[in-house]
Every structure is written in C-alpha cells, then in structure tokens.
Amino acid sequence: MSSIRYCVNGKLVSGVAPTNRGFAYGDGIFRTMRLLNGELQDWPLHYQTLVADCSKIHIVCPSAELLMQEFKHLMATAEDADLSSGIVKVIITRGDGARGYAPPAICEPTRVLIHSALPVYPPAIYDVGVALYTCQTRLASQPLLAGIKHLNRLENVLARAELKDPRFFDGVLRDYEDHVIEAVSGNLFIHKDGLVMTPALEQCGVAGVMRQKILDWYKTQGQTVVSTSLLMENLLTADAVVVANSVYGVLQVTQIDEQVIASNDWAKQLRSDLAYVVH
C-alpha cells in the first residue's frame, strides 16, 4: 500500500489550490488521532475540539456526518491493504481566497483527511519511559490562539529541529517568561505531594485531546487537576512527570536534559485507566 493516503473535499487527491488560505497563511486548524480496529479513537472528543478550534478563528466546522462519510470513503477505496490501524489527520482550512490577509466574506472550508501508518515506537518508551530536552525555542504569547491547534506551527518546527540527540524523545517548550507550556508534540503533567498539575494554556500552547481525556478522567474520580504556572524547577523536583498525546498515549518522563527525574508507575496506571492500547 501507499504509506499515506489523502482525501480532499471528498476526492482522493493529494493537493490543494495555491490560493488555499491554509497553504498561503496557515489559516486553519487540525487534529490527529489514532485509528484502531477500523475506528477513530475518541472521535466525539476530537470532533468537539475541531468545532471549538474552528469557532475561535471564525470558521464554520464541517459536520461530523460529512467528515465521517469522507473518512469511510478514504478507507473503503483501499484495494491492497488493511487500513484498520494507523494515524488519521483532519485539517480544516478557511478555503480558497484572493490575495491579501482579509478573509473572504463568503468562504467554503476545505476538508482534508490524511491516513498514514502508525509510528513504530520501541517498547522501552512504555516499559521504561522517555527523556526530554529543554528547547531554546520559546513560545510567543497570543491569548486569541491559545489552546487551539492551528496550522501556524513554525515554533514547534523550529523546536523540533533542535532535537538532534537520539536519546531524547521530545522537547520541553517554555514561553518568554520561563513558564513551562508543553512538549513539542504533547502536553505535560506533574505529580507532586499527591497533587496533579498541568501547565496553564491561557497565553499559548495546544490543549490536546489526550490532555482533555486525562482532565475528564480525574474529574470522574472526584479529583481536580490544577492548571497553573509551572517552571522547570517544578518538573525537575516533581514526584513524577508524564507527557501525553493522542498517538502514543501517556509516557513517563525519566530524564530532562542530563537530570534524572523521579518516576513511578503513574504513566502505566493512566494508560490503564484511559484504556489506551499500546501497539
């Protein structure tokens, strides 16, 4: 099979017009989710965040029925392979437009679905944990865009380019006031003295779906996760640190730069609580 398959506005093509505002200005949003046994994992929650993110930048999100119809079309047209697993990325842009920043008065959002193979992770990331690197790239504050997964991800691109040492799985991103915000490709949680905390995202950063799942799970247990300002020293002195996203789930952080981080079975317990299936 081809390792990547595309569906653009319901058609099995792999390109958009040069006038598309997603291409020209990053004018759109996206979400990435796992495909397991032919089912999109946590689809209701992913669609809820697609709607919320679109609303924040004044795009009318396509209906869940339309996106699911196009997803099934993408999957059903494969003739030579089992597409029951993998990664599905949904991109919504404002659509085509004329030259200039001003959005068109009437726009037709562009819908893109991409299927690719599930990354092959070494078992050690689940059994042992991962090391993170402190990125020099900083996140700029922009409350209007904080939390959403918009297409302007140059900060993450530059931060990820710093990670040249294969010992490190991901990087820690801070803002210009030294607050820890997130990992390059995931959200962070710390456990300290019985309290669970996660970086506040009112100024910048992405509120991932796995982050929301963790918050929701603790809520069902009658516990509160504190969203607050965290510094590197909070991570380095925590009883445990985890990094999470919708692709790899929840991983224990055992090292940041050259410093060993305290660890326990918190990540394994969270994966069990959230019914996350390791490859």
Side-chain angles (χ1 to χ4, degrees):
M1 64 175 278
S2 170
S3 60
I4 302 179
R5 295 178 60 79
Y6 311 86
C7 181
V8 181
N9 291 334
K11 298 179 181 179
L12 301 180
V13 297
S14 59
V16 297
T19 53
N20 192 281
R21 292 181 61 88
F23 169 77
Y25 304 118
D27 189 0
I29 55 93
F30 73 99
R31 289 284 167 173
T32 305
M33 61 206 81
R34 284 186 74 186
L35 178 65
L36 185 64
N37 297 324
E39 298 291 332
L40 290 175
Q41 299 301 286
D42 303 311
W43 168 242
L45 188 51
H46 279 285
Y47 182 71
Q48 178 182 322
T49 55
L50 284 171
V51 171
D53 288 0
C54 280
S55 177
K56 287 185 179 179
I57 59 173
H58 311 297
I59 293 176
V60 177
C61 187
S63 70
E65 292 75 16
L66 177 59
L67 292 175
M68 185 55 64
Q69 175 184 328
E70 293 179 349
F71 162 71
K72 291 179 178 178
H73 177 52
L74 176 66
M75 296 295 101
T77 51
E79 299 176 352
D80 58 351
D82 175 16
L83 294 182
S84 63
S85 67
I87 302 297
V88 173
K89 182 176 183 178
V90 179
I91 303 172
I92 309 295
T93 82
R94 200 176 303 275
D96 292 345
R99 190 199 65 80
Y101 291 134
I106 300 176
C107 59
E108 174 125 11
T110 297
R111 312 172 303 277
V112 180
L113 282 79
I114 304 171
H115 173 271
S116 56
L118 194 67
V120 178
Y121 295 116
I125 72 168
Y126 295 104
D127 298 335
V128 178
V130 297
L132 303 183
Y133 170 82
T134 304
C135 295
Q136 297 306 303
T137 303
R138 302 297 185 105
L139 294 174
S141 295
Q142 176 44 275
L144 290 175
L145 299 176
I148 75 174
K149 205 165 189 178
H150 54 74
L151 294 174
N152 294 272
R153 304 252 64 90
L154 275 177
E155 293 168 324
N156 301 70
V157 170
L158 294 174
R160 187 62 183 83
E162 295 181 36
L163 303 181
K164 303 183 187 302
D165 189 329
R167 293 179 302 159
F168 297 112
F169 180 79
D170 203 341
V172 177
L173 279 169
R174 298 164 292 167
D175 65 12
Y176 281 94
E177 295 183 348
D178 288 333
H179 299 124
V180 171
I181 302 299
E182 60 191 359
V184 176
S185 300
N187 291 114
L188 295 165
F189 290 82
I190 74 169
H191 201 284
K192 181 69 173 178
D193 298 330
L195 188 65
V196 179
M197 293 175 278
T198 191
L201 302 178
E202 282 80 12
Q203 297 296 316
C204 55
V206 174
V209 163
M210 185 58 71
R211 177 182 187 270
Q212 188 60 51
K213 283 191 68 177
I214 293 172
L215 295 176
D216 290 345
W217 184 85
Y218 274 105
K219 186 175 181 180
T220 66
Q221 303 304 303
Q223 301 179 54
T224 299
V225 177
V226 179
S227 177
T228 186
S229 295
L230 296 176
L231 301 173
M232 284 302 301
E233 65 183 87
N234 298 120
L235 271 65
L236 299 176
T237 60
D239 297 327
V241 179
V242 298
V243 60
N245 77 12
S246 291
V247 176
Y248 55 69
V250 184
L251 303 176
Q252 198 85 39
V253 176
T254 57
Q255 181 178 330
I256 297 178
D257 298 325
E258 302 304 322
Q259 181 164 332
V260 174
I261 304 299
S263 61
N264 49 33
D265 290 329
W266 188 26
K268 292 179 181 178
Q269 185 60 52
L270 277 174
R271 289 196 298 270
S272 175
D273 294 335
L274 299 172
Y276 181 88
V277 179
V278 177
H279 311 336

